[in-house]
Amino acid sequence: MNALFPQLRSFDPDGVREAAQAWRRLSAHGDAAGSRHRTQVNGPLRQSWSGRDADAAFYAMEQSEEFLDVLRVECEAAALTLDTVAERMDQARTDLLNALRRADEWDLPVTGDGLVGLPSAEPGDRHDPDARERWQRLGVLRGQVQQRIDAALAAAREASDRGARALEGLEGGILTRPGVFGRAAEAARDAGEVFAALGLGEYLPGNTDPQRSADWWRSLTPEQQRAHLALHPAEVGQLDGLPAAVRDRANRLVLEQQLDALRAGSPRGSGLTYGQYDERQNALRVLKERLDRRDGGPSAQRLFLLGLEPAGDGRAIVALGDPDTAQHTAVLVPGTGTTLARMPGQLERIGRLQQAACAVAPGRSVSVISWLGYDAPEIPPESLGVAGRGRAEDGAEAMRRFTRGTRVAQGGNRSHLTVIGHSYGTTAVGAAAAGGEGLDADDLVAIASPGMTTAHASDLHAAPGHVWVGAAGNDPIRLAAGRTLGADPMAAPFGGTVIATDTSGHSGYWDPDSQSLLNQGRIIAGKQPATVAG
């Protein structure tokens, strides 16, 4: 006897769906608890507590937050599994009941284990030509109904088996097994294995159109958004056009999972040398510490992780202050030799730029973003990429998409937007601004530029008089300007407005209390900087 037939016939999906909702409620509680802990406990304490006891306490707090994130991911994966099984079983039950209705319409009997028969023959049917034709037709119909019943039972069996395999992978002891590291990374793997076990191809928009991404996100319910953040953090975190707070939540989870995987793993089989492995792990650890330290502080001083890619030299996009609500927004694009490991220095620079802008525009909100969203050239002789335009052109569309996404996320709040490039970063800014429809920036600033890939400032889709250039007199970059990367931006024919600088060398433009820094701050705030006559 086929026991599945009566089970499917009487299947009620509501119980399974209620179980899925219970898992989602647990995930939501974990999410809320983790958020409160970060902003009300861990973050504030990091701003005022230091020493050996503090280090031990913060380590324990990180473990608690990691447990809550693991809980989020595992619960959402369990809920997804149960909902998927309920939907597929319910569809199989619907198909089965439709088949049984057809059997009833055609007077075909069905046994208790799902076998379709034929009605009883009448005494005179054997010699009636019309009856023989009717029986032939009923035989065909019986085959069709049996086929539908068998298909419904097979679909139900497959749904059950796939669900069982998915749930088997969500091992309940993940939070209680001995071991310090590896839980967050395992939860990420579990989520991926659930999708594979269920045969799901979850829809997420590609990162090609910020407006489309924003519309998709707004179309989701809060439950669906929470599920995507837990189960697809890397994909959600890269979508330009989504709110900064959303991308930050997604990328924080990616950061935690990536760092946990490195801590639990080893260089063997990673494709990295021991030195590269340690450098990547340390870079992620330091970045996480910097982010954690700002949690719970004033909104203007919070850090938002808008992008993260640890592979290779590493890439990261970090905003100081919320760019969605800021009245003035600046994007700083670094140059040669900038890697994920050097992000702490970039965070210092955007902090000083924000201070400079706020000093000349008190009461105005300012967000400054470090955009390492392209593969900056290595320092020669490791690479000669700095002499060519390839790295800049490769990252141009990503930069255009990012500034478009910033505008989309701002909605009706059209912030005054400034894009600042330093060194080869100016080449990247130039390639992006000159291509397509440009960067939609109010001001472009080229600091210590070897060239912006163009012959004239008018090629950069910027309003006349809003392309600013500056370089210290003893900056060695002046020797390379105007050679392989476009015209010398400091030369009069280029058409840029030269701002006054009072710092030395190639990296002093963010020195505290310098005119070089103040002038950048004035431009960010929409004010006139001190200039040098041509």
Side-chain angles (χ1 to χ4, degrees):
M1 179 176 179
N2 189 344
L4 182 57
F5 178 77
Q7 291 174 349
L8 181 60
R9 191 173 187 175
S10 61
F11 175 73
D12 182 357
D14 289 346
V16 182
R17 287 171 176 153
E18 287 172 5
Q21 281 299 100
W23 282 110
R24 285 204 168 91
R25 285 193 295 271
L26 183 55
S27 173
H29 289 316
D31 188 18
S35 178
R36 287 196 302 271
H37 192 277
R38 286 185 174 91
T39 58
Q40 298 178 22
V41 181
N42 194 357
L45 282 175
R46 285 181 179 274
Q47 298 174 35
S48 58
W49 191 19
S50 61
R52 183 177 300 176
D53 290 344
D55 291 342
F58 291 139
Y59 176 80
M61 290 180 191
E62 286 183 12
Q63 291 294 301
S64 297
E65 291 176 2
E66 181 186 272
F67 282 10
L68 291 170
D69 280 335
V70 169
L71 182 70
R72 286 172 53 207
V73 175
E74 296 281 327
C75 288
E76 290 292 351
L80 173 68
T81 300
L82 293 173
D83 266 343
T84 302
V85 171
E87 179 182 348
R88 291 174 176 176
M89 292 286 288
D90 195 29
Q91 182 61 56
R93 176 176 176 270
T94 299
D95 293 343
L96 176 63
L97 294 180
N98 287 337
L100 294 177
R101 276 193 288 271
R102 294 292 177 270
D104 187 58
E105 290 172 4
W106 298 330
D107 296 322
L108 299 173
V110 180
T111 66
D113 56 357
L115 294 178
V116 184
L118 290 171
S120 300
E122 296 294 332
D125 284 352
R126 179 177 299 181
H127 304 291
D128 184 348
D130 292 336
R132 285 199 297 272
E133 183 179 340
R134 173 174 169 268
W135 282 102
Q136 289 174 352
R137 185 170 68 254
L138 285 174
V140 172
L141 294 176
R142 179 180 66 172
Q144 292 176 354
V145 172
Q146 188 68 66
Q147 187 177 31
R148 291 184 183 186
I149 290 175
D150 292 345
L153 295 176
R157 187 176 294 107
E158 181 182 12
S160 177
D161 291 347
R162 282 184 175 273
R165 287 198 298 272
L167 290 176
E168 284 171 3
L170 300 176
E171 195 254 317
I174 188 171
L175 294 177
T176 58
R177 287 197 309 270
V180 177
F181 301 119
R183 297 182 181 92
E186 181 181 343
R189 290 194 300 273
D190 286 350
E193 289 170 2
V194 161
F195 276 88
L198 294 174
L200 289 176
E202 188 75 9
Y203 169 76
L204 282 90
N207 191 26
T208 57
D209 182 346
Q211 187 61 60
R212 179 186 175 203
S213 296
D215 293 342
W216 167 77
W217 184 255
R218 285 194 292 266
S219 74
L220 303 177
T221 66
E223 275 188 354
Q224 290 171 328
Q225 291 177 349
R226 192 161 50 242
H228 280 297
L229 283 167
L231 300 177
H232 302 284
E235 292 82 357
V236 172
Q238 73 165 344
L239 290 178
D240 295 306
L242 267 58
V246 170
R247 297 183 69 176
D248 177 65
R249 288 181 63 197
N251 287 312
R252 294 284 189 108
L253 182 55
V254 174
L255 171 58
E256 181 178 288
Q257 292 172 345
Q258 293 275 357
L259 179 57
D260 185 58
L262 290 169
R263 285 170 166 169
S266 75
R268 292 183 178 179
S270 69
L272 302 173
T273 66
Y274 278 82
Q276 291 169 334
Y277 193 92
D278 290 343
E279 181 178 353
R280 181 176 296 180
Q281 180 176 329
N282 187 63
L284 292 177
R285 178 185 59 78
V286 171
L287 177 59
K288 185 179 187 307
E289 289 175 353
R290 293 298 180 98
L291 294 167
D292 290 347
R293 198 176 300 163
R294 297 296 186 102
D295 285 341
S299 177
Q301 296 302 309
R302 271 202 59 199
L303 290 174
F304 295 80
L305 185 58
L306 305 182
L308 180 67
E309 175 50 71
D313 291 334
R315 304 182 190 187
I317 305 171
V318 182
L320 174 59
D322 188 348
D324 296 351
T325 59
Q327 293 162 303
H328 301 281
T329 304
V331 179
L332 176 64
V333 182
T336 307
T338 307
T339 63
L340 184 60
R342 296 194 175 192
M343 278 305 294
Q346 295 304 308
L347 297 183
E348 293 292 331
R349 290 180 178 180
I350 64 175
R352 291 176 182 177
L353 285 171
Q354 186 194 58
Q355 291 173 358
C358 289
V360 298
R364 306 284 286 177
S365 56
V366 178
S367 173
V368 185
I369 303 166
S370 173
W371 191 85
L372 182 58
Y374 79 117
D375 187 12
E378 294 77 15
I379 298 174
E382 183 180 349
S383 167
L384 298 180
V386 69
R389 306 179 185 188
R391 300 287 184 94
E393 292 170 348
D394 289 346
E397 178 53 33
M399 194 187 304
R400 286 192 291 268
R401 190 172 58 244
F402 178 78
T403 55
R404 285 200 304 273
T406 300
R407 293 296 197 197
V408 168
Q410 289 173 346
N413 168 47
R414 184 176 172 84
S415 177
H416 174 264
L417 177 62
T418 303
V419 179
I420 304 171
H422 172 239
S423 188
Y424 191 88
T426 67
T427 309
V429 170
E437 297 180 0
L439 293 171
D440 196 14
D442 298 289
D443 289 281
L444 299 176
V445 184
I447 299 294
S449 178
M452 300 186 74
T453 74
T454 64
H456 198 273
S458 61
D459 300 328
L460 301 175
H461 292 89
H466 286 267
V467 176
W468 313 89
V469 298
N474 63 349
D475 189 333
I477 201 71
R478 301 289 292 273
L479 301 175
R483 295 181 180 272
T484 61
L485 301 177
D488 181 359
M490 292 288 288
F494 183 77
T497 303
V498 180
I499 62 173
T501 57
D502 61 347
T503 48
S504 298
H506 190 57
S507 302
Y509 301 97
W510 299 274
D511 288 351
D513 303 319
S514 66
Q515 187 179 39
S516 301
L517 176 62
L518 176 62
N519 277 332
Q520 293 177 77
R522 293 186 67 83
I523 295 170
I524 293 171
K527 297 182 178 296
Q528 179 71 24
T531 60
V532 176

